[in-house]
Amino acid sequence: ALGVAGRLAAALATTVLAALAATSLVVTVLFATAGAAPGRREERQARTMAATVRGAGLREVYGEYWTCNRLVFDTAEEVVCGVLDGDLSPGFNRYPAYWTRLARATRPGYVLAVGAPADRRLRELLGDRADTALLAEVGGYRVYHPTTPVRPWR
């Protein structure tokens, strides 16, 4: 006993639902294929950086907050990391034991984003020794290992 208007409304509702389902499927497939690629690339770069740091024999390094978290995780704490702010002053360190270990390190490394304030500040403090202290550039980061520690907060 549905009239023509009712049948048209039902057909329109069915069409809208089918379009929404198709759109959801397309978006899901695109995310699963292309959308996850940047995350996988970032993961590979983080693992490569961790391998580079370990391969250089570094076990104590300084870096920025997220770099430290990732590096400690990717090395299963073989490498400990102390957080520095952009001006190379102590940052927010969640685990004080790392900071204590770094304070005792005679030759810590530095893992800093290329061109970031901390990278520029370290290069400024190292002066003409900056390029000799640079071990590698990996995934947008520079790994430094200067002959003497740079701790401007002391």
Side-chain angles (χ1 to χ4, degrees):
L2 284 178
V4 173
R7 283 191 289 258
L8 282 174
L12 180 61
T14 302
T15 303
V16 168
L17 284 174
L20 285 173
T23 301
S24 294
L25 178 63
V26 168
V27 168
T28 300
V29 168
L30 287 174
F31 178 76
T33 56
R40 286 192 295 265
R41 182 174 47 255
E42 185 179 306
E43 175 69 25
R44 275 193 310 275
Q45 289 173 341
R47 278 195 243 121
T48 301
M49 181 178 50
T52 300
V53 169
R54 275 194 310 243
L58 296 172
R59 296 299 177 258
E60 295 93 14
V61 299
Y62 292 104
E64 63 86 34
Y65 184 80
W66 291 110
T67 304
C68 280
N69 287 343
R70 190 56 188 258
L71 189 57
V72 168
F73 178 80
D74 283 340
T75 63
E77 292 186 290
E78 284 181 40
V79 176
V80 299
C81 190
V83 177
L84 296 177
D85 288 336
D87 62 354
L88 297 186
S89 61
F92 182 60
N93 288 282
R94 289 187 178 268
Y95 189 54
Y98 294 163
W99 195 253
T100 302
R101 184 169 153 190
L102 272 152
R104 290 191 305 256
T106 57
R107 194 172 171 214
Y110 299 80
V111 179
L112 305 169
V114 174
D119 181 48
R120 290 192 308 268
R121 179 72 173 132
L122 180 65
R123 293 188 71 78
E124 174 188 312
L125 292 171
L126 289 171
D128 59 359
R129 299 176 298 140
D131 289 333
T132 57
L134 180 62
L135 297 181
E137 282 195 28
V138 181
Y141 289 85
R142 289 184 177 141
V143 179
Y144 294 95
H145 195 207
T147 54
T148 57
V150 177
R151 295 179 175 124
W153 61 91
R154 287 187 175 180

